Each structure stands twice: as C-alpha cells, then as structure tokens.
Amino acid sequence: MGFARTCSVALVGVEGVVVEVQAGLEPGVAAFTLVGLPDKSLIESRERVRAAVVNSGAEWPQKKLIVGLSPASVPKGGSGFDLAVACAVLGAAERLDPRELTDLMMIGELGLDGRVRPVRGVLPAVLAAADAGYRQVVVPEQTAAEASLVPGISVLGVRSLRQLIAVLADEPVPDEEDPRDEGRPDPSLAGLVVPGTGVGAGLPPGDHTPDLADVAGQHSARRALEVAAAGRHHIFFKGPPGAGKTMLAERLPGLLPPLSPKESLEVTAVHSVAGALPPGQPLVHRPPYCAPHHSATMASLVGGGTGLPRPGAVSLAHHGVLFVDEAAECSPRVLDALRQPLESGHVVVARAAGMMRMPARILLALAANPCPCGRHGTTGGGCECRPSSIRRYRARLSGPLMDRVDLRIAVEPVARAELIALGRGAETTAAVAERVRTARERAATRFSGTPWHTNSEVPGHELRTRWQVHPGALAQAERDLECGLLTARGLDRVLRVAWTAADLAGRDRPTREDVNWALELRTGVRRGALAAAGGGGNHHETATVRPPHEQR
C-alpha cells in the first residue's frame, strides 16, 4: 500500500487551522474518494487534480485512492487544497519521495492544464503555518510576495505543478510562460477577488488623500476631528444637508498615522480573506476607510454569508475608519450590532455552520441630519416635520449606541464669508496629522509596558487610579454624573478625551479646561461659565473652554 502526507491550511474566518492531507493507495477498482468534511468546491478538486496530474506529464495511479483531510471535525472549503492533494497522491504513487512532502505546507488551486492559480487568504494561512512550526511553504507565484511577509518562512512560488514536481524530484525545472510578459491579462488573478466586493474595498483609493484644507469653516468640527484621530475616539456629526459632514469624515483617515508592521499584517490578512486585496499590493500600509451605504444589511456590516461567515465592513475597516453616512436612515437593529465591536475591538459571528471571531478595532464616524427634511434648527430652514416625526427619527440612533460615541458635533451651515475665504489660512491634513502623530507618541510613552496604545483603549478603572488629572478638574463631570447627564461609561470616555486634549496641548495631565471641553463634546452642553475655585457663595467667573491647540 502506497502512503504519503503533506499539509495545507483551512481558514475559519481570518484564523487558520493546519490540515494534514493524507493519500493512500490500495489494490482494487480505480476510484478516488475524498473524506474529511469537504465542501462542494473541495469535492470538485478530484476532477481538477486528476486532470492537472495527467496534463503535467505524470501518470495517474489506477488503484483505489483515498485522500483524507485531518482533523476530520473541522469544515474545509475552497480550492486551496488542490496542490497538497496532488502532491500527496504523487507521493503515494512513488512519483515523489514521500519524505520530501512531510514538512511542506502547500496552498494553491490547480487548473486543468496543471497551472497553479492563486487563492484568497494566503497571508493568514502562512501565519497559521508559522505558528504551528512549519518553515517551508509552497504557494502560487502571484501570492509569493504576500506569503513572504511572514518572518522566518521559506517561500517557494510556483507557476505549475510540473515545476513543483521537478523541484521536489531534483529534476530540471521547466519554463512556464507568463501572460504578463506578453502584455496579456492574467486570468488566474480573478481568484483573488470575491465577486461583489470590488478590488480594494475598504482601502483608500490610490495615493490621493483628501485635504482638510478643502473644508471651509467648521472650526469646532475640525478640532473634534483632530481629537478623534489622536485618541481614536468615535465621533458623530449632526447637521443639515450640505454642511460638510461627509467631507469631514472622508478626511479622517488622512489624519491617522501609518499602520505599524503588526497592524499592517492584521489588516492585510482580513482583506486577503475577504477577497478585497488589490493584486500587486501584498501589504496594506495605510489605515483602511470603509463607508457602506445606509441600506447595508447585518451580514454586510458585521460579517456573514452562506456557510461560514465572511468578514464584514467592521472587519474591513480594522485599524481604520468606518463611516456610516445618513445613520438615522439605517436599520436600528443593524446599527446596534456595532455595540459589541466598539467595546471589545472584535466581532463574534455565530452561524449554524460555525462560529467565527474577526478583528474589528475601528474608529466609528456617524453622520445624520437633525430631522427627516434636514432643516430643523437651521436659520430660515423652514422645517415642516412634526415633533413626533423628529422624535422617531432621532430615536433610530439608540441610547446604548450613542453612549459609546465620545464626540458629538453640531455641524452648522457654512457662512458666505468662510466660503469666499476658502484656502486662506486653513490647515492642511499634513499639519494636523503631525500634531496627531506627536500626541499618539506621548500616549504611547505613557502607556509603555501596558497592552494599550491610545487613550480610547484604556479601561476606566485604570485611567482613574493610575493616571490622575489635575485636582478639581473633575468637579463639573461629577456634577453631571450625579444629575444623570453622564453615565459611568460616559465619565470614563470623558476622561479619555480629556487625556487626548492634554496630549495635543503637550501637557502632562488634563486640566479643568480639558475635562470641561471633553464634557461639551460629549453632552453638547456648552460650558461657558465655570465655578470659580474657592470663595464659596454664588460668586462665578466667566471662562471660555478652548480647544487644545489654542491652550498652548
């Protein structure tokens, strides 16, 4: 009896499980049996593998053939097992030395002519192989650069099964034509993209970054945008149509620092599995930006689909920005599904076929009109919406969801003078991004030796006990907590925003002005008059709460 084994990887979400591919030949009627919970596309690999082996010049064994995928309890799907199955069969037939296959990890689809076609999810698959102790992987040539991103792994990129057989048998390696060398498109690249996602879904288009200098006026909103980027605080824009809510949100990714090497691998792995990684771009360096339509379904937002769930918009925006425009037009049930990822940084999707945990550490930006017609509260707006309609419209954004949003900004219509003065003295994205980078570095230094990197990640208990604010800075926040304007979660989030304001201003800890400005951003209540320290009685002094970069 001939026997050989090699390995491949089954993807469950963005996590990989090492699968041992075993092939055994027995005397009997020629048959090919595949066992180990394969899905439809994997069952069809029997025909692809047989044709690929024959067309590669090797002899197909005329015996009873059984290929087992172990562990048998893990569901397996996709065409990425083809290469491992073909090599295991050739090892059992003694065309290849079975000892050469044992420590190899193979990922790739086979065409009927023996060419090796790329598949999605190579990066997370190779990461799983590296974690399991494998050091040699064989992948399609088109995805070799993606696989090489994993340190400590030796990657062999092949164009065809003929080339792989020659390498493993220590024979001369045949040349295979590359369609790109002749200026023809490569049809095999179609396997890297899932139909319906679009190439680069969730990634910034090209190298162009919208400039913050294009936004006329909106000084308060611009300052809040800077705070959101510096501390990764969720933000909500409310204002009439045409005030600039979408313009502001589209410029938020440009303020974020480039991804760290670890973050780049995480983001690239998600986009590779989702089939949204552009060909020729093996590593994502910039924070992703995803803006689903307000009619998005639950599955498209948090993940889902038939069988095992696929990553949704919250995972495509991992370590980047998820912008939900016209938030009040979205399904309340869909929006409330964001509550878990906003707190935990991941989303767990349970389906009958299995459960999947996907990363979803996002910066959420919401935008909505004040009423169905969008003119409520504007000067000369002429809103004709009934009060009950306005209440129902605003209630579509639930209290528990909004309690997780740190910054709430009223975006007013731009005045004529500000429109005319467009481009005169407006700060560019590069200038603001530099302040954001400096503030992030201050926070990272403060949190060195801890698992946190930005102010929004720090648990409230740690923030209250380990890092103290100035004495008396929390007086107004404590009063708001007592009278019900703030929840306990809200107080923690005010503290986080205050620390970000202090980082932007270059201070060691937040002052009373920082906390009160954070309160204003949180509650929408202006803090124009602050109680004077000491003196008692009803004596007050007037103080203006200024943004952080004006307090320097």
Side-chain angles (χ1 to χ4, degrees), residues 138-217:
V138 180
V139 298
E141 186 183 51
Q142 295 92 332
T143 57
E146 183 180 342
S148 300
L149 297 173
V150 181
I153 291 291
S154 174
V155 178
L156 172 62
V158 293
R159 293 184 187 176
S160 68
L161 181 59
R162 282 185 291 270
Q163 287 187 338
L164 181 56
I165 293 174
V167 171
L168 295 177
D170 198 18
E171 299 172 355
V173 179
D175 292 329
E176 297 285 354
E177 65 175 5
D178 188 348
R180 294 170 296 182
D181 294 340
E182 301 177 6
R184 293 185 286 120
D186 189 354
S188 65
L189 295 178
L192 297 176
V193 181
V194 174
T197 59
V199 176
L203 298 179
D207 296 327
H208 173 68
T209 301
D211 202 323
L212 197 58
D214 299 336
V215 180

Side-chain angles (χ1 to χ4, degrees), residues 111-379:
L112 299 184
D113 59 351
R115 294 182 66 87
V116 181
R117 302 172 64 93
V119 294
R120 294 178 287 113
V122 166
L123 178 58
V126 176
L127 285 170
D131 291 340
Y134 290 86
R135 293 294 174 261
Q136 292 181 309
V137 297
V138 180
V139 298
E141 186 183 51
Q142 295 92 332
T143 57
E146 183 180 342
S148 300
L149 297 173
V150 181
I153 291 291
S154 174
V155 178
L156 172 62
V158 293
R159 293 184 187 176
S160 68
L161 181 59
R162 282 185 291 270
Q163 287 187 338
L164 181 56
I165 293 174
V167 171
L168 295 177
D170 198 18
E171 299 172 355
V173 179
D175 292 329
E176 297 285 354
E177 65 175 5
D178 188 348
R180 294 170 296 182
D181 294 340
E182 301 177 6
R184 293 185 286 120
D186 189 354
S188 65
L189 295 178
L192 297 176
V193 181
V194 174
T197 59
V199 176
L203 298 179
D207 296 327
H208 173 68
T209 301
D211 202 323
L212 197 58
D214 299 336
V215 180
Q218 306 301 357
H219 304 292
S220 298
R222 290 168 61 101
R223 293 192 289 264
L225 207 66
E226 180 178 345
V227 172
R232 196 183 277 167
H233 302 289
H234 309 306
I235 188 169
F236 171 57
F237 300 104
K238 184 176 77 171
K245 304 185 295 295
T246 303
M247 283 189 69
L248 289 162
E250 288 176 344
R251 281 146 182 80
L252 183 53
L255 303 181
L256 300 178
L259 299 175
S260 67
K262 181 172 182 272
E263 292 172 343
S264 291
L265 284 177
E266 293 177 4
V267 173
T268 304
V270 172
H271 284 79
S272 178
V273 170
L277 192 65
Q281 183 178 337
L283 187 64
V284 179
H285 296 281
R286 299 164 59 193
Y289 172 76
C290 198
H293 192 260
H294 63 262
S295 63
T297 62
M298 178 85 73
S300 68
L301 194 64
V302 301
T306 57
L308 286 174
R310 287 210 317 248
V314 291
S315 296
L316 290 175
H318 182 52
H319 288 311
V321 177
L322 175 66
F323 175 48
V324 182
D325 202 0
E326 304 294 347
E329 301 291 343
C330 296
S331 165
R333 180 170 168 267
V334 172
L335 282 180
D336 282 340
L338 295 174
R339 285 151 59 176
Q340 181 201 31
L342 291 184
E343 282 292 311
S344 61
H346 63 266
V347 60
V348 178
V349 181
R351 296 290 185 269
M355 183 178 295
M356 181 171 64
R357 182 182 185 273
M358 294 172 287
R361 188 164 297 282
I362 59 173
L363 197 169
L364 177 65
L366 299 170
N369 296 326
C371 67
C373 75
R375 297 190 296 271
H376 180 73
T378 60
T379 304

